[in-house]
Amino acid sequence: MGRAFEYRRAAKEKRWDKMSKLFPKLAKAITVAAKEGGTDPDMNAKLRTAIQNAKAENMPKDNIDAAIKRAEGKDADAYVEVNYEGKGPHGVLVFVECATDNTTRTVANVKSYFNKAGGGLVPTGSLEFMFNRNAVFEFDKTDEMDLEELELELIDAGIEEIEERDEKVFVYGDYTNFGTISSALDGLNIEVTKANLQRFPTTPVEFSEEQLEEIEKMLDKIEDDDDVQAVYTNIS
């Protein structure tokens, strides 16, 4: 099990390292958020979060400004957020979140990644109950920060868990409490570096190293797609 865990971690780090793919995805998230709620970050929490996440990945200000401006262009109306659900090799469950200006292209591509791996898409909503959707906030741990005290201060805002990893603090809560947790962190003058909504499997499944290798090949192809924003699985 140790080797499988190490493999899984190495594979994830490899996928996270694709900066050339990351900036376009971050830009698309900014454009979609600005199109939905307006181009003023002070009045649009979703846009504010998208900008925050882009800055955390060292995305240049010019790229961020261009992505916001794109929301005012005539092409912006075509941008939509869409999700796909599927089963991959060895029965792995996969939830794919996309932002696209051409859903016909996106669904054809995503479908092909599953089919070529011996899996396939399932009807939308089929896997919804297999994942919990959580708000996740990340910020740096400071010397004066007491996590037990912080948890007590944030409990009324709706946090469910707080943990520390590698000098960083992660705060989790139900996705419906994203706004209240964000406001509470602001009120405590905590500078959040990343914030988003993530899906966590309700029943994680263990896979062997060989199975993981096959699954990761499919996940790499899905995540390489320009229209794909995030991919979640039931891998433990």
Side-chain angles (χ1 to χ4, degrees):
M1 188 152 87
R3 282 180 66 211
F5 173 79
E6 286 299 321
Y7 175 85
R8 196 157 60 236
R9 189 175 68 177
K12 280 185 178 178
E13 285 172 357
K14 176 170 67 76
R15 296 212 310 274
W16 287 337
D17 203 30
K18 296 181 177 176
M19 295 302 295
S20 62
K21 293 285 181 184
L22 188 58
F23 283 179
K25 292 176 192 290
L26 291 166
K28 204 175 281 189
I30 290 169
T31 301
V32 169
K35 174 200 156 192
E36 282 180 12
T39 57
D40 181 358
D42 291 335
M43 304 297 290
N44 181 346
K46 187 173 180 179
L47 175 59
R48 196 161 60 246
T49 300
I51 292 171
Q52 188 179 58
N53 292 342
K55 284 180 176 175
E57 300 296 346
N58 299 313
M59 187 167 166
K61 186 177 183 298
D62 287 351
N63 295 41
I64 293 171
D65 292 343
I68 295 171
K69 197 170 182 182
R70 200 173 298 124
E72 299 174 316
K74 62 181 188 303
D75 298 335
D77 287 345
Y79 277 108
V80 292
E81 290 180 304
V82 61
N83 300 330
Y84 301 104
E85 299 162 44
K87 287 187 180 179
H90 311 290
V92 67
L93 304 181
V94 186
F95 200 105
V96 185
E97 294 181 348
C98 303
T100 178
D101 57 356
N102 185 331
T103 53
T104 305
R105 174 192 68 221
T106 307
V107 70
N109 287 346
V110 173
K111 193 174 183 179
S112 75
Y113 305 139
F114 279 97
N115 289 349
K116 285 174 184 172
L121 292 181
V122 298
T124 300
S126 304
L127 304 185
E128 196 76 49
F129 71 100
M130 300 295 288
F131 292 87
N132 286 327
R133 201 173 188 209
N134 289 110
V136 183
F137 297 83
E138 178 186 329
F139 48 90
D140 294 327
K141 170 86 161 55
T142 60
D143 291 339
E144 63 271 15
M145 203 176 273
D146 183 322
L147 293 195
E148 285 186 17
E149 193 178 302
L150 187 59
E151 185 171 16
L152 287 172
E153 292 193 59
L154 292 171
I155 209 110
D156 287 342
I159 79 154
E160 294 171 356
E161 189 182 346
I162 187 167
E163 66 172 354
E164 181 189 348
R165 291 198 314 268
D166 302 325
E167 298 299 309
K168 296 206 175 283
V169 179
F170 296 85
V171 168
Y172 303 88
D174 189 78
Y175 77 99
T176 55
N177 292 323
F178 187 96
T180 54
I181 296 171
S182 181
S183 297
L185 289 167
D186 277 346
L188 294 169
N189 295 316
I190 290 173
E191 195 174 325
V192 173
T193 48
K194 285 185 192 176
N196 52 29
L197 297 176
Q198 296 182 22
R199 297 176 194 271
F200 296 90
T202 53
T203 313
V205 175
E206 287 277 353
F207 293 92
S208 71
E209 193 171 336
E210 291 75 18
Q211 290 173 330
L212 283 169
E213 197 167 342
E214 204 175 329
I215 292 166
E216 292 288 350
K217 279 182 186 172
M218 183 190 76
L219 296 180
D220 278 345
K221 287 188 170 64
I222 295 172
E223 290 184 338
D224 268 348
D225 192 290
D226 288 343
D227 295 333
V228 173
Q229 291 291 100
V231 179
Y232 302 103
T233 74
N234 67 333
I235 298 171
S236 67

